[in-house]
């Protein structure tokens, strides 16, 4: 509870007053990222020896939720969730030198660390990626393109830079998803952009505070010490990373949904029509509110159950559970939370009436921001359905 309170206090002071400006200007100020680093909001589950807090996935989820509440466009929460989830996986599988070099800078907010998996021919088909990595002595030469990747501008603006947990093809094509290797792709380091990385930034409709773009890799060199884990096991590490990151995504959208519900209570109590009746007195409004409230609470419980299980597996190392036991609980919360929040925004905007259709009303910022996750950021919703169906019905019946 004390952790949640301290995050909330921080958010009230430094994020809430700025969130509209963050969305409107399309930038999280670098000094806010640094402040979040100083506050210990980045790399929460990373060990203290690498600059993290040595905390839990549940704590990272609490941080994502509170930040999602105080910046309901979710941009600031996206920065935080990426820089908690992916550094956590990076620590689990990377070599010592890479960890010592990269993680403390990410934890301090001096460098960004995200995920680069998606390619233009379809993000859901991870096994079908085309980016290649070919080993020459102790260096890998990477060629290809990644797209819809978050953090491109942040890497360029942060003092140290940063990079990605990137997956590329390294084995024989017939190995399918077993020919993928993961790398720490550090594209700007110690303030210098590395040769062979050509980024582009997209103009986005929502959560504009954090950038999304694409990049090409042309003979981009990665030393073998930056390889993550074993060769040709990258697909499995990526899936594990998605499991952790998706819990935090769900938490961030729940934060935003809670904010939207609070706005709704205020509005439907005070908007008066038909001889001064509050619109909350109409069952068409109040019953809908109750439904939405219950959907969000259900999503919240699913999210913290997944976080609890992740802590059992990764933090407590409880041998009763295996990593793949997380698949369904995580898919459930990633499926439910963004959808519940999107529905809340749609209804809130209808309750606001015409006011919602102007930029004086900020509800659209939360709606468009959280919709990024209904659309498919951190995994399309149908992929969540596929994970659940395969596990519960059986993969021999349910094909991708
Ligand atoms: C704002 C934003 C930020 C993002 N940031 C990142 C990032 O930082 N790093 C990164 O790697 N990626 C990022 N992504 C990309 C994201 O991971 C992809 O959007 C996602 O994986 C889906 O890929 P796609 O958009 O190419 O859609 P596709 O894979 O082409 O899917 C299109 C549609 O087909 C459906 N579909 C696909 N396969 C199946 C199936 N087997 N069964 C039923 N339906 C199916 C999907 O549900 C979807 O509706 C981001 C996306 C957004 C919107």
């Amino acid at each position: 509870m004390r952790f949640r309170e301290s995050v909330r206090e921080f958010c009230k002071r430094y994020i809430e007053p700025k969130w509209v400006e963050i969305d409107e200007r399309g930038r999280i100020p670098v000094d806010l990222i640094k402040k979040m680093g100083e506050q210990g909001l980045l790399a929460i589950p990373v060990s203290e020896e690498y600059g993290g807090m040595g905390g839990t996935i549940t704590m990272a989820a609490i941080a994502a939720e509170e930040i999602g509440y105080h910046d309901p466009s979710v941009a600031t929460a996206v920065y935080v969730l990426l820089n908690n989830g992916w550094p956590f996986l990076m620590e689990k599988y990377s070599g010592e030198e890479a960890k010592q070099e990269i993680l403390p800078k990410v934890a301090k907010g001096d460098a960004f660390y995200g995920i680069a998996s998606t390619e233009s021919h379809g993000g859901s088909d991870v096994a079908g990626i085309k980016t290649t990595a070919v080993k020459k002595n102790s260096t890998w030469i990477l060629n290809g393109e990644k797209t819809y990747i978050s953090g491109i501008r942040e890497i360029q603006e942060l003092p140290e830079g940063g990079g990605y947990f990137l997956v590329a093809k390294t084995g024989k094509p017939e190995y399918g998803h077993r020919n993928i290797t993961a790398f720490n792709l550090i594209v700007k380091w110690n303030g210098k952009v590395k040769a062979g990385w050509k980024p582009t930034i997209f103009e986005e409709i929502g959560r504009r505070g954090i950038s999304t773009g694409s990049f090409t890799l042309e003979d981009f060199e990665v030393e073998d010490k930056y390889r993550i884990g074993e060769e040709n096991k990258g697909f499995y590490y990526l899936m594990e990373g998605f499991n952790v990151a998706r819990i935090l995504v769900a938490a961030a959208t729940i934060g935003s949904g809670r904010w939207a519900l609070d706005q709704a209570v205020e509005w439907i109590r005070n908007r008066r029509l038909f001889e001064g009746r509050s619109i909350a007195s109409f069952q068409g409004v109040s019953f809908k509110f109750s439904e939405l409230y219950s959907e969000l609470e259900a999503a919240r419980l699913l999210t913290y159950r997944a976080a609890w299980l992740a802590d059992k597996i990764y933090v407590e190392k409880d041998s009763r559970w295996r990593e793949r036991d997380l698949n369904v609980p995580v898919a459930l919360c990633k499926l439910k939370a963004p959808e519940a929040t999107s529905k809340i925004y749609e209804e809130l905007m209808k309750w606001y009436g015409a006011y919602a259709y102007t930029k004086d009303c900020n509800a659209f910022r939360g709606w468009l921001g959280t919709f990024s996750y209904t659309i498919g950021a951190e995994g399309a919703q149908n992929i969540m359905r596929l994970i659940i169906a395969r596990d519960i019905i059986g993969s021999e019946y349910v094909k991708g």
Side-chain angles (χ1 to χ4, degrees), residues 169 276 282 309 361:
K169 287 268 164 119
F282 307 129
L309 185 55
C361 173

Side-chain angles (χ1 to χ4, degrees), residues 273-286:
L273 295 171
F274 299 103
E275 296 172 0
R277 283 174 64 188
S278 145
I279 63 169
S281 71
F282 307 129
Q283 286 186 355
V285 173
S286 61

Side-chain angles (χ1 to χ4, degrees), residues 379-397:
Q381 296 297 74
N382 274 356
I383 298 303
M384 303 308 116
R385 293 183 177 97
L386 192 61
I387 292 169
I388 298 162
R390 271 191 185 150
D391 195 278
I392 306 296
I393 305 169
S395 53
E396 65 276 36
Y397 298 98

Side-chain angles (χ1 to χ4, degrees), residues 78 82 86 112 114-126 146-151 164-165 167 204 206-207 210-213 238 242 246 369 371-386 390 399-400:
V78 173
L82 289 170
W86 294 101
F112 173 91
I115 168 69
S117 155
T118 306
E119 297 185 1
S120 56
H121 47 273
S124 303
D125 181 12
V126 175
K146 295 284 176 185
T147 194
Y148 306 116
I149 305 302
S150 302
Y164 296 97
F165 185 112
V167 282
E204 286 179 287
R207 66 178 228 195
I210 182 155
S211 65
T212 304
L238 182 71
F242 278 138
R246 282 170 187 160
F371 196 64
S372 67
Y373 288 117
T374 309
I375 270 215
E378 216 75 54
Q381 296 297 74
N382 274 356
I383 298 303
M384 303 308 116
R385 293 183 177 97
L386 192 61
R390 271 191 185 150
K399 301 290 170 201

Side-chain angles (χ1 to χ4, degrees), residues 266-328:
E266 193 61 24
W267 177 262
I268 65 178
R269 275 179 183 161
N270 294 311
R271 179 70 168 171
R272 290 183 181 275
L273 295 171
F274 299 103
E275 296 172 0
R277 283 174 64 188
S278 145
I279 63 169
S281 71
F282 307 129
Q283 286 186 355
V285 173
S286 61
F287 281 16
K288 188 74 202 174
F289 176 88
S290 303
E291 267 171 43
L292 294 168
Y293 187 88
S294 72
E295 295 253 330
L296 196 74
E297 278 300 295
R300 199 164 186 231
L301 290 172
L302 287 173
T303 303
Y304 282 99
R305 182 182 72 148
W308 171 86
L309 185 55
D311 286 337
K312 286 274 165 213
I313 294 167
Y314 291 111
V315 180
E316 295 173 32
K317 306 203 189 309
D318 188 326
S319 60
R320 284 174 294 170
W321 285 282
R322 288 158 303 167
E323 277 124 19
R324 71 180 142 104
D325 293 331
L326 263 180
N327 293 350
V328 171

Side-chain angles (χ1 to χ4, degrees), residues 215-234:
F215 61 80
T216 56
L217 296 169
E218 289 168 21
D219 292 330
F220 188 95
E221 296 186 4
V222 177
E223 287 171 68
D224 192 48
K225 68 177 181 180
Y226 293 117
R227 176 170 38 83
I228 299 176
E230 289 178 44
E231 284 178 37
N232 296 323
K233 293 263 175 77

